[in-house]
Amino acid sequence: MSTRAIRQNVRGYLFISPFIIGFLAFTFIPILASLYFSFTKYNLFGAPQWIGLENYKKMFTEDPRYWQSLKVTLIYVFAGVPLRLGFALIIAMILNTASRAVGLYRSLFYLPSLIGGSVAVAIMWRNIFGDEGIINLLLGVFGLPDVRWFGDPTAALWMLILLSVWQFGSSMLIFLAGLKSIPVTYYEAASVDGATFWQKFTKITLPMLSPVILFNTIMQTIAAFMTFVPAFIISKGTGGPLDGTLLYSLYLFIQGFEFFNMGYASAMAWVMLIIVGILTAIIFFSSKYWVHYESEGGK
């Protein structure tokens, strides 16, 4: 290489060095450290002690709360993600119209997603679903009995699921962008042929939007597994009642920073990574049966 080429390469590496340093210091090295800690007994204060697969053995055979956290998280994911995406798609289709106020509506619908992960929203949600909150007041107006949202594990979990559904703004914007990329001529031709709204939706909208649905499904599934703040605030860090809101990430936090079992928490993190990876692979594998790509001749 010439001297000039070497200088250009050096300048290039200098420009990207902040990212490289940040990636190594805050991502790559911590990942390797957590993998090592997952095979150790480590309490954050002393030196880690190598114990091999004991953390994983304890996780799968000796810890019923681990299985409860996994069960709660899977219910949260498989119930919340489809509801969130369905609601986001409905709102996106409503907003996919010519209207002067559509920009304002998009901002208002996106606002919950912008602030949805904050502590303030979780506290507000807890108050809304309190024994004397607005939800129970509305139930009383319609003659329905009050629901003890913080006394029933199932009701408490659905309270978290409803909070996740309410934060549909990011998915909605992605769906809206996908809807706008569908040529209007397809709908016009279908109207000429006498197609109904449902036929247009199932034969045009869903196939053309399927790559966007795939992207949203994967991203929202990963995000759902990482949900922490709402469960921590609403359950006051306990996962109650009766571990009904003990999401995986919350139990990982409890093990790592309350019980100081950082080795066990690291093992939990790696198992969660494997679970998310398997689910993502399954979604990708199934996509060949329902995702439409124009480049593949409509297959």
Side-chain angles (χ1 to χ4, degrees):
M1 295 178 63
S2 65
T3 304
R4 182 177 180 181
I6 294 175
R7 289 177 179 175
Q8 289 179 342
N9 288 339
V10 170
R11 291 194 190 102
Y13 282 116
L14 287 176
F15 275 112
I16 65 174
S17 60
F19 168 78
I20 294 176
I21 295 172
F23 174 77
L24 292 175
F26 300 109
T27 302
F28 185 70
I29 294 176
I31 287 175
L32 295 181
S34 70
L35 179 60
Y36 169 72
F37 291 147
S38 70
F39 298 102
T40 66
K41 183 178 181 181
Y42 181 44
N43 63 5
L44 293 177
F45 300 105
Q49 302 175 6
W50 183 267
I51 58 174
L53 297 174
E54 287 300 316
N55 286 326
Y56 296 93
K57 179 181 177 182
K58 176 183 176 182
M59 188 187 311
F60 295 128
T61 62
E62 304 174 13
D63 189 357
R65 290 194 78 191
Y66 170 80
W67 290 107
Q68 173 65 13
S69 70
L70 183 59
K71 173 186 173 182
V72 170
T73 303
L74 291 177
I75 294 174
Y76 178 83
V77 172
F78 287 114
V81 172
L83 288 174
R84 186 173 186 174
L85 294 180
F87 198 61
L89 179 57
I90 292 172
I91 300 301
M93 292 181 65
I94 294 174
L95 294 180
N96 190 32
T97 57
S99 173
R100 289 184 177 181
V102 69
L104 175 63
Y105 293 146
R106 292 174 192 169
S107 300
L108 291 176
F109 281 122
Y110 182 69
L111 188 61
S113 293
L114 193 63
I115 62 175
S118 68
V119 174
V121 169
I123 294 174
M124 177 199 71
W125 205 255
R126 180 180 175 86
N127 292 332
I128 287 176
F129 284 86
D131 292 340
E132 298 180 357
I134 188 173
I135 299 300
N136 279 337
L137 290 178
L138 289 175
L139 292 176
V141 170
F142 292 101
L144 299 174
D146 293 349
V147 177
R148 291 184 55 82
W149 298 98
F150 300 101
D152 184 351
T154 302
L157 178 57
W158 275 100
M159 177 175 53
L160 284 179
I161 293 173
L162 290 175
L163 176 57
S164 73
V165 174
W166 179 64
Q167 300 163 7
F168 64 89
S170 59
S171 301
M172 178 205 67
L173 289 181
I174 296 173
F175 277 138
L176 189 58
L179 289 170
K180 290 190 175 298
S181 68
I182 301 176
V184 180
T185 54
Y186 291 177
Y187 295 103
E188 293 174 348
S191 298
V192 171
D193 291 338
T196 63
F197 171 81
W198 181 251
Q199 289 173 326
K200 293 177 184 178
F201 178 73
T202 57
K203 301 299 183 180
I204 299 176
T205 304
L206 284 182
M208 297 296 293
L209 202 62
S210 56
V212 179
I213 296 175
L214 173 64
F215 174 80
N216 264 338
T217 301
I218 292 174
M219 297 305 296
Q220 294 303 321
T221 299
I222 296 173
F225 269 99
M226 296 190 298
T227 301
F228 169 75
V229 173
F232 181 83
I233 297 299
I234 290 175
S235 70
K236 296 183 178 179
T238 64
L242 300 176
D243 289 340
T245 59
L246 187 66
L247 294 182
Y248 199 104
S249 57
L250 176 58
Y251 188 47
L252 190 153
F253 173 85
I254 291 173
Q255 285 290 342
F257 296 98
E258 290 189 14
F259 299 156
F260 298 108
N261 295 329
M262 186 55 66
Y264 188 73
S266 298
M268 286 184 61
W270 277 93
V271 172
M272 182 172 72
L273 175 64
I274 294 172
I275 293 173
V276 173
I278 292 173
L279 286 177
T280 303
I282 292 173
I283 295 173
F284 267 115
F285 177 79
S286 67
S287 66
K288 65 181 180 181
Y289 298 105
W290 57 274
V291 176
H292 167 89
Y293 294 105
E294 291 186 88
S295 61
E296 297 179 357
K299 295 181 181 180

